[in-house]
């Protein structure tokens, strides 16, 4: 029996660096520090929101966790087993447990396949060979995600954006995973449809004790679905806490700035607007010391020299900033 105290996913000091090659001889002249030493855990039935601007490394982190891209160093444990260096064959049972939902459901669905075959493909690959059995399982999945089983014979272009994301969710659910990585899974959808898809993901989580790594550039989107939030900046986690602490007592200047852009539904609560200057610097040559110092309104000389470690400043609340 699975021990619910063992995290579904435990990531320690995960790094993914890409070499930068130049010239005729393709010499390595530098590294892109896409993910630069991140650690987190996700418990059974929990959601971790991984948030940051585009280019901060969150998508690479999600792919590295699933070993869709090979990590440079660090460890990935799934249900207590270190899968970081497992061979393709040994990784297979763990692949079943970990699925991904992409941002753009249209480009991730084969336009020439029936929707039912798309959802049933993972079943076929993982050994459910009886067509009848597959069709029954797919029909049940269609019904569960709010599609009609009759739509199994439609092509992806015959569905709306929200329906296509439901197909993506049904496909991810097909093998009964424990963990789903959602890479901006609702960013391409209208706001009203976003809420429906998030509600569906939450219902499925309750029903199946699913764990999610929910990647988004938008704090407002992750608020409703996440139990914990990790804020990423240039390949590193700068703040990591439960969702309420992040929203009520943000401690890192970058989190404060991201939050100031989130609309507050209660007019009695006013947030000071903080507009971040400039773009995220290149991860090829990240700024020295604290990576955020080129944009931080509170920068002090020490910030340019010394990199602040991620410290626990209150139970479960971790921040990397010299001033906290
Ligand atoms: Fe700003 Fe310095 Fe804190 Fe970095 S360490 S977030 S630059 S105050």
């Amino acid at each position: 029996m699975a021990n619910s105290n063992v995290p579904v996913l435990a990531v320690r000091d995960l790094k993914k660096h890409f070499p930068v090659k130049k010239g005729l001889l393709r010499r390595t002249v530098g590294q892109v520090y896409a993910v630069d030493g991140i650690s987190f855990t996700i418990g059974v039935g929990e959601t971790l929101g991984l948030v940051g601007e585009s280019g901060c490394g969150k998508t690479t982190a999600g792919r590295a966790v699933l070993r869709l891209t090979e990590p440079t160093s660090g460890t990935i444990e799934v249900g207590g087993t270190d899968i970081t260096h497992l061979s393709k064959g040994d990784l297979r049972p763990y692949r079943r447990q970990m699925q991904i939902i992409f941002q753009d459901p249209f480009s991730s669905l084969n336009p020439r396949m029936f929707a039912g075959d798309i959802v049933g493909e993972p079943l076929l690959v993982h050994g459910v060979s009886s067509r009848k059995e597959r069709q029954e399982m797919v029909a049940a999945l269609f019904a569960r995600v709010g599609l009609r089983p009759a739509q199994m014979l439609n092509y992806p272009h015959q569905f709306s954006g929200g329906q296509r994301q439901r197909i993506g969710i049904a496909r991810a659910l097909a093998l009964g995973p424990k963990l789903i990585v959602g890479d901006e899974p609702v960013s391409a959808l209208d706001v009203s449809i976003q809420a429906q898809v998030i509600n569906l993901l939450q219902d499925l989580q309750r029903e199946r004790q699913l764990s999610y790594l929910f990647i988004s550039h938008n704090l407002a989107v992750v608020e409703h679905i996440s139990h914990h939030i990790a804020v990423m900046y240039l390949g590193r986690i700068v703040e990591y806490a439960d969702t309420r602490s992040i929203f009520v007592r943000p401690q890192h200047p970058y989190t404060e700035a991201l939050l100031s852009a989130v609309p507050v539904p209660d007019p009695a609560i006013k947030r000071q607007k903080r507009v971040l200057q400039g773009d995220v610097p290149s991860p090829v040559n990240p700024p020295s010391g604290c990576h955020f110092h080129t944009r931080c309104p509170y920068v002090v000389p020490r910030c340019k020299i010394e990199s602040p470690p991620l410290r626990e400043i209150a139970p479960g609340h971790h921040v990397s900033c010299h001033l906290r």
Side-chain angles (χ1 to χ4, degrees):
M1 202 166 112
N3 181 350
S4 61
N5 291 325
V6 176
V8 170
L9 179 68
V11 170
R12 290 194 191 91
D13 204 18
L14 186 71
K15 295 185 182 173
K16 177 64 192 180
H17 300 165
F18 296 98
V20 181
K21 297 195 183 274
K22 250 193 177 165
L24 212 57
L25 299 175
R26 310 299 297 150
R27 285 218 175 89
T28 301
V29 293
Q31 299 285 329
V32 178
Y33 298 93
V35 177
D36 201 21
I38 64 170
S39 303
F40 58 81
T41 57
I42 306 180
V44 176
E46 276 184 4
T47 302
L48 173 70
L50 190 60
V51 182
E53 288 163 286
S54 105
C56 72
K58 55 192 189 305
T59 291
T60 306
R63 293 180 60 83
V65 159
L66 298 175
R67 288 209 33 212
L68 296 175
T69 181
E70 288 302 332
T72 305
S73 62
T75 58
I76 304 155
E77 283 182 14
V78 174
T81 304
D82 187 345
I83 64 150
T84 324
H85 304 289
L86 290 186
S87 67
K88 228 174 157 185
D90 291 342
L91 194 60
R92 219 173 137 83
Y94 297 95
R95 284 228 188 277
R96 287 185 75 128
Q97 296 179 25
M98 306 187 291
Q99 296 294 317
I100 187 164
I101 308 170
F102 296 98
Q103 171 177 4
D104 180 357
F106 198 50
S107 64
S108 65
L109 304 178
N110 185 337
R112 282 180 290 273
M113 279 172 78
F114 289 133
D117 291 340
I118 291 172
V119 172
E121 198 176 31
L123 294 168
L124 182 64
V125 172
H126 283 266
V128 182
S129 50
S130 147
R131 185 166 178 81
K132 189 168 175 290
E133 198 184 335
R134 272 201 317 275
Q135 273 176 341
E136 282 168 7
M137 290 168 86
V138 171
L141 285 165
F142 263 57
R144 182 59 200 92
V145 300
L147 296 168
R148 283 177 290 110
Q151 292 174 297
M152 286 161 59
L153 290 176
N154 288 358
Y155 289 103
H157 74 267
Q158 294 174 287
F159 294 87
S160 67
Q163 286 176 326
R164 285 198 287 263
Q165 198 51 294
R166 288 172 192 268
I167 297 173
I169 294 170
R171 180 175 57 183
L173 289 176
L175 296 170
K178 294 186 174 143
L179 172 76
I180 294 183
V181 174
D183 186 6
E184 302 267 11
V186 297
S187 305
L189 306 175
D190 292 344
V191 175
S192 59
I193 310 290
Q194 284 187 354
Q196 290 173 15
V197 172
I198 286 183
N199 286 342
L200 170 64
L201 289 171
Q202 285 180 309
D203 289 346
L204 292 167
Q205 180 167 57
R206 278 189 287 270
E207 209 176 278
R208 299 170 186 228
Q209 284 288 288
L210 280 170
S211 303
Y212 296 135
L213 175 61
F214 197 100
I215 297 169
S216 176
H217 66 282
N218 188 340
L219 260 175
V221 167
V222 298
E223 179 182 10
H224 299 290
I225 195 164
S226 304
H227 300 92
H228 292 86
I229 290 178
V231 179
M232 262 186 99
Y233 189 78
L234 270 186
R236 296 179 182 166
I237 289 175
V238 295
E239 186 158 5
Y240 177 37
D242 64 275
T243 302
R244 188 174 158 73
S245 299
I246 291 275
F247 274 79
V248 178
R249 286 181 298 280
Q251 295 294 318
H252 195 281
Y254 180 58
T255 314
E256 274 179 16
L258 289 182
L259 264 179
S260 79
V262 173
V264 185
D266 182 350
I269 303 172
K270 292 218 169 1
R271 266 196 203 123
Q272 212 185 330
K273 188 99 183 144
R274 290 212 174 77
V275 181
L276 274 179
Q277 302 300 319
D279 295 325
V280 182
S282 162
V284 179
N285 274 316
S288 58
C290 172
H291 285 353
F292 189 55
H293 84 250
T294 53
R295 301 169 84 194
C296 180
Y298 311 107
V299 60
V300 294
R302 181 185 178 196
C303 306
K304 298 180 184 175
I305 305 161
E306 229 180 280
S307 174
L310 191 69
R311 287 184 305 114
E312 189 167 17
I313 56 156
H317 197 144
H318 299 75
V319 184
S320 105
C321 174
H322 292 309
L323 303 188
R324 304 293 180 214

